Structure formats: structure tokens, C-alpha cells
Amino acid sequence: MRINKYLSGCGIDSRRKCEKLVTDGRVRVNGKTVIELGTDVKEGDAVEVDGKRVALTFKKIYIMLNKPKGCVCTVSDDKGRKTVIDFVNIKERLFPVGRLDYDTEGLLLLTNDGDLANKITHPKNEVKKTYSVRVEGEPTAAELKRLRNGIEYNGVKYSGADIAVIGAEEGATRLEITITEGKNHEIKNMIESLGRRVLFLKRISIGGIRLGGLSRGEWRYLNSREIEYIKSL
Ligand code: URA
């Protein structure tokens, strides 16, 4: 089995991210560092990531977390910041599916299923992600139209978003914005392109999966309907 597929099957991360672990020189097979993505692993090989032995896992785990602000969406952080994994007290290895910014809160999926992570994050699957967004001031109809049609900002193209105006708040407007791309800082950049700031950002759904009433920092296992939904993508 190819090294990235093997590592992903061990629940380390998605296949794409596992490729980077290899090229970064963090993976050893039978005591030797391997950096070739073509490396094959066979039964009985001793595989280590950052010096820790890993093994294929067959039990797949799917969790949702209501990510609070002030933590990073990685398994470990070299700056010592709190990570989303710190909130989930189970013994199996998990990794976050995609990213929310340090100061963004809301629905985050965690799993040890690398294939599933790819399905959700791959742009070709166009999985809808909806955010509750508090925007500075009152965006005009023309501004919202620009975002609905799609924009280019700082050399990056953002496809059109679905936008619902939820209501006016003090000095601000509450929107619900649905996107399918998941580019870096996508919502913040869209709003910044209007010369406005995002004051609050929370993801409330990923496709058919909704955050519901989970409190900040709380997590739960996905139910069978939610798992079926993801597998059907
Ligand atoms: N868009 C952003 O700007 N930040 C996030 O965390 C998610 C979407």
C-alpha cells in the first residue's frame, strides 16, 4: 500500500496532508526516514510519524465539535496554542476535516477517516457550508449582489455565494452566507472586498449536517443519518 494511503488509514490525516508529512521528512519506515511519495508499505513494516509508531485502524470515528474561538484546527501546534483535539477526550487519533480560523467558531467535523475528509473538502463535491456572519454596518443591495455573482479579490476568484439577510443589529447586519469552495479566509475576504469587516463568524452547517444546540467546546458522535449523508457524497 502507498505510504500516504497507509498513513491516512492509520487515522493520521487526509491523504493529501499525509503526503506532506512524508515530504517534510516526518515519516520513518523500519527505522529509515522516507521522503518518496511512491514508497510502499507492507504488512509487518514498522511505520512511525514524528517518532511515534502508527498502525492501521479499522474503527472509523465521526465527531462534531462546536469549536470555540481561540483554538487552532490542527492536531498539534508548534506555538503551543490550544487545538481542537484538546476538546475531545477519547483515546483514538482524530484529525479535523478542513479548517476554521483561530477566531472563527462553530461546526467542525473530526474523524480518523481520510477518505471522508477528502470527500467533504474536495471542491468538486461542492458541499455547502453555511456561516452566520455579523458584518460591520449595513451592506447595500449592490454590495450583496456582487457577492452573489462572484468576485475577484487580491488576485483570488470567489464564486457566487447564497446570502440571506437575517436582520439589523446595533451598527451591524446579521447575514447567513453559504459557500461551496472553502478557500482560505473565504468569508472574511469576501466581506473585506466590500471595505467592511466581519465582527463575528460561526459555521452552522456542512451540507445536511447542522450544529444545532451544541454548546461552545462541546462535541458529540455523528448519528447514523449524518454518517450515511457524508458517505453518500
Ligand atoms: N471563512 C473565513 O474567512 N474564515 C473561516 O474560518 C471560515 C470561512
Side-chain angles (χ1 to χ4, degrees):
M1 190 189 287
R2 276 290 143 90
I3 185 74
N4 66 325
K5 188 170 180 203
Y6 182 89
L7 292 172
S8 169
C10 295
I12 309 295
D13 212 320
S14 65
R15 280 193 209 170
R16 235 176 318 150
K17 296 265 175 62
C18 287
E19 285 181 357
K20 186 153 187 318
L21 290 179
V22 175
T23 52
D24 284 352
R26 294 168 61 185
V27 178
R28 282 196 299 198
V29 178
N30 300 326
K32 273 203 199 124
T33 300
V34 295
I35 51 164
E36 289 298 325
L37 291 175
T39 306
D40 276 319
V41 179
K42 51 185 188 327
E43 217 181 322
D45 281 343
V47 180
E48 292 165 80
V49 176
D50 294 336
K52 281 202 202 109
R53 184 82 185 258
V54 296
L56 285 174
T57 111
F58 297 98
K59 187 176 162 209
K60 299 298 181 203
I61 296 178
Y62 308 99
I63 279 175
M64 75 157 71
L65 168 73
N66 183 353
K67 175 197 178 294
K69 286 181 187 175
C71 61
V72 285
C73 283
T74 48
V75 173
S76 63
D77 184 52
D78 46 15
K79 295 189 192 126
R81 291 172 296 184
K82 206 173 172 75
T83 80
V84 289
I85 303 295
D86 295 333
F87 289 90
V88 184
N89 47 336
I90 64 169
K91 64 177 189 322
E92 288 90 352
R93 265 171 187 277
L94 294 173
F95 58 85
V97 178
R99 295 266 158 99
L100 290 175
D101 295 337
Y102 186 76
D103 58 354
T104 300
E105 49 184 272
L107 175 58
L108 184 75
L109 299 178
L110 299 153
T111 187
N112 58 359
D113 182 346
D115 288 338
L116 170 124
N118 274 345
K119 274 188 181 175
I120 293 204
T121 52
H122 203 293
K124 85 166 191 281
N125 285 332
E126 298 196 341
V127 177
K128 291 182 173 178
K129 289 122 189 156
T130 300
Y131 294 82
S132 174
V133 192
R134 190 163 185 258
V135 178
E136 183 181 41
E138 191 181 349
T140 64
E143 287 174 350
L144 295 180
K145 188 168 172 207
R146 288 218 294 275
L147 299 185
R148 287 182 176 123
N149 288 339
I151 53 154
E152 185 167 333
Y153 180 59
N154 287 340
V156 181
K157 283 198 170 130
Y158 299 96
S159 342
D162 285 339
I163 305 180
V165 179
I166 304 301
E169 297 180 356
E170 219 184 298
T173 305
R174 177 75 57 165
L175 304 176
E176 270 184 23
I177 303 185
T178 301
I179 53 173
T180 54
E181 291 177 307
K183 291 185 172 155
N184 257 354
H185 312 304
E186 182 154 356
I187 301 277
K188 288 179 190 157
N189 286 340
M190 284 164 57
I191 300 298
E192 211 178 282
S193 78
L194 307 176
R196 299 184 184 278
R197 273 185 319 138
V198 167
L199 304 174
F200 173 85
L201 184 56
K202 176 180 183 178
R203 183 157 63 194
I204 54 178
S205 70
I206 299 176
I209 301 177
R210 296 192 66 82
L211 182 61
L214 216 56
S215 309
R216 286 192 181 102
E218 250 184 12
W219 65 273
R220 69 163 171 84
Y221 288 102
L222 294 195
N223 61 37
S224 50
R225 182 196 62 75
E226 292 163 335
I227 293 172
E228 280 316 306
Y229 162 74
I230 299 178
K231 289 188 171 167
S232 74
L233 287 172

